Amino acid sequence: MFNQSIALAVAASGVVVLAPQTTVQAQQCTPLEVVGSNQTSITKTVDVPEGLASLLPGVSTNWDTDFVVPSNANYSQYQAHLVSEDGGSNLDIDMYLKYPDQTADRSYTGQAVVLEPSEPLLLEGMARSDSDPYQVNLRVGGLEAEGVTYTATVYGCN
């Protein structure tokens, strides 16, 4: 038997259901909103500040995106889906679960990651057993990744 999942989107509710091909219970995932918007996906092109200034603390990049976890949610897992129509390489990618006590758990880290054209990259993180995060942060960038365009969506899952 295969232990693979098939993603089925329920368009009316915005809920994604992962239905295993075995007898394991289906996982329900809900897309999270990007902070400061009512959108559940964001498309960005990696920019890199010119010169050595990009290596200095406090220099702004567009690498970070935060997604809001609703205060009444109690998700056990978080998933980020990244896809690039044209692909891209040399991406440095991190996913953090941010908690109310001002701490964060790094759920994923990758350097020189390659996104194959139109093939999603799935990142997964488990919530702490004693606390729920209030945001999920995706950091997608890299000094050698300038110009890579990607779309990111983050889900809370049970």
Side-chain angles (χ1 to χ4, degrees):
M1 287 189 136
F2 293 99
N3 191 9
Q4 299 174 343
S5 296
I6 300 171
L8 303 171
V10 180
S13 67
V15 173
V16 174
V17 177
L18 299 177
Q21 294 178 344
T22 63
T23 57
V24 177
Q25 186 176 0
Q27 185 176 33
Q28 291 189 342
C29 298
T30 303
L32 305 179
E33 288 188 0
V34 176
V35 169
S37 79
N38 61 354
Q39 303 296 313
T40 56
S41 291
I42 188 164
T43 300
K44 288 181 146 182
T45 300
V46 176
D47 76 3
V48 178
E50 293 185 26
L52 294 178
S54 63
L55 301 175
L56 299 175
V59 174
S60 180
T61 66
N62 72 337
W63 298 0
D64 287 287
T65 305
D66 289 319
F67 294 80
V68 177
V69 177
S71 60
N72 61 347
N74 187 21
Y75 302 119
S76 60
Q77 183 185 46
Y78 295 86
Q79 296 180 358
H81 297 238
L82 298 171
V83 66
S84 175
E85 186 175 311
D86 298 323
S89 59
N90 295 316
L91 289 160
D92 295 334
I93 301 174
D94 295 297
M95 183 170 102
Y96 294 91
L97 303 182
K98 296 164 64 174
Y99 290 89
D101 65 358
Q102 304 307 310
T103 61
D105 294 343
R106 187 179 340 195
S107 299
Y108 177 90
T109 189
Q111 294 183 324
V113 175
V114 175
L115 293 177
E116 296 296 333
S118 301
E119 290 189 26
L121 173 67
L122 173 66
L123 316 176
E124 296 179 308
M126 300 300 289
R128 294 177 186 171
S129 60
D130 62 345
S131 183
D132 294 321
Y134 71 95
Q135 284 182 347
V136 177
N137 172 267
L138 284 182
R139 182 171 176 81
V140 181
L143 296 176
E144 297 178 27
E146 184 172 17
V148 174
T149 299
Y150 66 92
T151 299
T153 308
V154 173
Y155 299 89
C157 304
N158 286 319

